Amino acid sequence: MTLNRRMFLGATAVASAALAAPMVLADGHGKPRVVVIGGGAGGATAARYIAKDSKGAVDVTLIEPTRTYYTCFFSNLYLGGFKQMSDLGHSYGGLAASGVNVVHDWAVGVDRDTKTVTLAGGAQIKYDKLILSPGIDFVDMSVPGWDITTQNAMPHAYKAGSQTELLKAQLMAMPEGGVFAMVAPPNPYRCPPGPYERISMVANYLKNNNPTAKIIVADPKPKFSKMALFQEGWANHYEGMVDWIGEDFGGGNVSVDASAMTVTIDGEETKVDVCNVIPAMKAGRIADIAGVTDGNWAPVNAANMSTNVDPDVYVLGDASQQGDMPKSGFSANSQAKVCANAVRGALTGSKVFPAKFSNTCWSLIAADDGVKVGATYEATPDKIAKVDGFISQTGESADVRKATYQESEGWYSGITADMLG
Amino acid sequence: MTRFSRFLSMGVAVLLGASATADEFGDPRAGAKVYSQCKGCHQVGAGATHRIGPHLNDLFGRAAAGMEDFKYSKSFQRAGASGLEWHAETLNAFLENPRSYASGTRMSFRGLKDETDRRNVIAYLRDFSDDPANIPEADPTATPTNHDIDPAILALQGDPEYGEYLSSECTTCHQASGGDDGIPSIVYWPEEDFVLAMHAYKNKQRQHPVMQMMAGRLSNEEIAALAAYFKNLDN
């Protein structure tokens, strides 16, 4: 067990929790070191909980290139006009204050033999435990005609920030009676209800500003998350505006031409004004570089989120392949707490409690019309397995829907504080 | 009785020289019904004690955050320190929209939008503020909520360390700081109230799908552990 060696090595002079650039450490450093790559719902939560609960006994470094974190959750509400971009932005100041060494740089290399992470700036950081929470990247050519070089003509807006603002600007610039197209992603992908909440929010904007505009959705799936609830909502609030083309009608047979601004669905070409392409997804690139992926995702052990190939490397959130949990910020936050408890236990000998996971996804269909779906999960030898769940019902009263939306706002305050302090 | 109480209230208002006019006091009988929305957290009447919220005996003239044995939000501690006292006028403003009046209050209540309701409940509370020795026993105050729970469950001593770990599942939605917007605060609750509430969700007596699901898989010991942790959470 590493604990004794580290305790013996004791008080080597390592400036912990400093905001300065990380130093290259010799092997015999003072405290156990955790490096977290990615400052989203998984990584920020894990970093904060390990720092907070170990009370200084573990050195925690978070590597995150951006200085302002824009939540992907609620970014559709910005498209719909219910939130400002500034409502979605958060700094890492709270994490730094709680003792996390926050380093704004890109992680470009992971050497699992020497337990070293290399940053784009050239620095190398040693770790005892490495937690990867890199989110998603896109699968090249999963939508023929679209790749990352066409993302400005046809934004994905599936990582919140400038892409979200670009899509909103394009939406606002649509000609009267124009066409908004979405190419929806195949399973599995980040935020299962996300594309459909986005359709609702785009429809809400158009209803108020461009009511003769149309929305077409090409979807490779035969059904989707909260489908009955969304379809009921679209019929109630946006009658005749949304044309959803599922797998049965060729929604998966789609290609785009970013320079001509056309979408071809099952052989039929349509000229569109805005095209939101949400491609197939895979784990963020650093998971590949670290060599912990199998196919598009990184398989992990349900008990503590460690990877199958390296017990000292953990993967959280969207990038992980864990079983039944949807890829969501809530899931990543939940997984991070289980992981933090296990990592802290392994490094300091603190008590490790059994894994419990949960998730709830709220979606907004129209003003004060919120719906939700959620479940609890447990660790089994094979995977994270669903225990119990619930979903909003069709035909609920306006009061229930309004309370659900208000609850989602409460959750937003809760989770962002839980992640970032 | 109603007329008498109204008369009494008017007299008291005049005697106290309160800024509220006589018309601002309502009907305490009707106020008792309005108060049913408050009694889940606040006791009033003989034997009333602090629960999730402070007891409301002898409220009139009390400084905000004025009782030493209740753990108030920082927001109310500040308000009390800067001179806020409870009278008809201040209660009326607070009850209309608690969070707009004291943004950091842990009172998870949307407020009474109806002015008559506010006047009535204020009149009702006024009756418990006269001479403390003469506080009427009132139904259903000071009656604990739902005691169908096996006393052995209530007697369980929770492990706060386990509670801290389990609490991380709660703080995804319920803010550890006690902040409350759309989702209630759960910090500083007396253990018994916490345990009763969680079992009411677990047994599906309380209606909230997320909470029924979350509580549904917690063991009796886990609920006790959470209660032990949240009782003392300090930020």
Side-chain angles (χ1 to χ4, degrees), chain A residues 333 337 354 357 377 407 410 415, chain B residues 165 168-169 172 181 208 217:
Chain A
N333 170 269
K337 292 166 189 171
F357 304 95
Y377 304 86
E407 191 178 278
I415 193 172
Chain B
Y165 168 69
S168 67
E169 200 160 40
T172 303
D181 42 2
H208 189 278
R217 68 162 174 173

Side-chain angles (χ1 to χ4, degrees), chain B residues 53-67:
Chain B
H55 77 70
L56 299 178
N57 287 342
D58 213 13
L59 178 63
F60 278 62
R62 187 199 289 174
M67 291 187 292

Side-chain angles (χ1 to χ4, degrees), chain B residues 8-115:
Chain B
L8 185 70
S9 299
M10 287 168 66
V12 168
V14 171
L15 282 175
L16 290 177
S19 56
T21 67
D23 283 348
E24 281 173 290
F25 283 97
D27 173 2
R29 276 279 183 89
K33 289 205 186 75
V34 177
Y35 188 74
S36 63
Q37 298 176 58
C38 320
K39 72 185 189 197
C41 298
H42 292 284
Q43 294 190 351
V44 68
T49 58
H50 301 319
R51 306 300 301 181
I52 293 165
H55 77 70
L56 299 178
N57 287 342
D58 213 13
L59 178 63
F60 278 62
R62 187 199 289 174
M67 291 187 292
E68 282 181 5
D69 53 347
F70 186 79
K71 202 161 185 177
Y72 292 94
S73 64
K74 289 195 177 68
S75 193
F76 265 126
Q77 289 173 24
R78 279 193 298 273
S82 56
L84 176 64
E85 271 191 16
W86 293 123
H87 295 295
E89 192 183 9
T90 50
L91 284 168
N92 184 48
F94 176 60
L95 289 174
E96 183 175 7
N97 191 339
R99 285 184 60 76
S100 77
Y101 194 74
S103 61
T105 181
R106 289 196 302 276
M107 188 159 108
S108 304
F109 184 62
R110 290 190 200 293
L112 293 168
K113 301 306 167 208
D114 185 289
E115 198 187 339

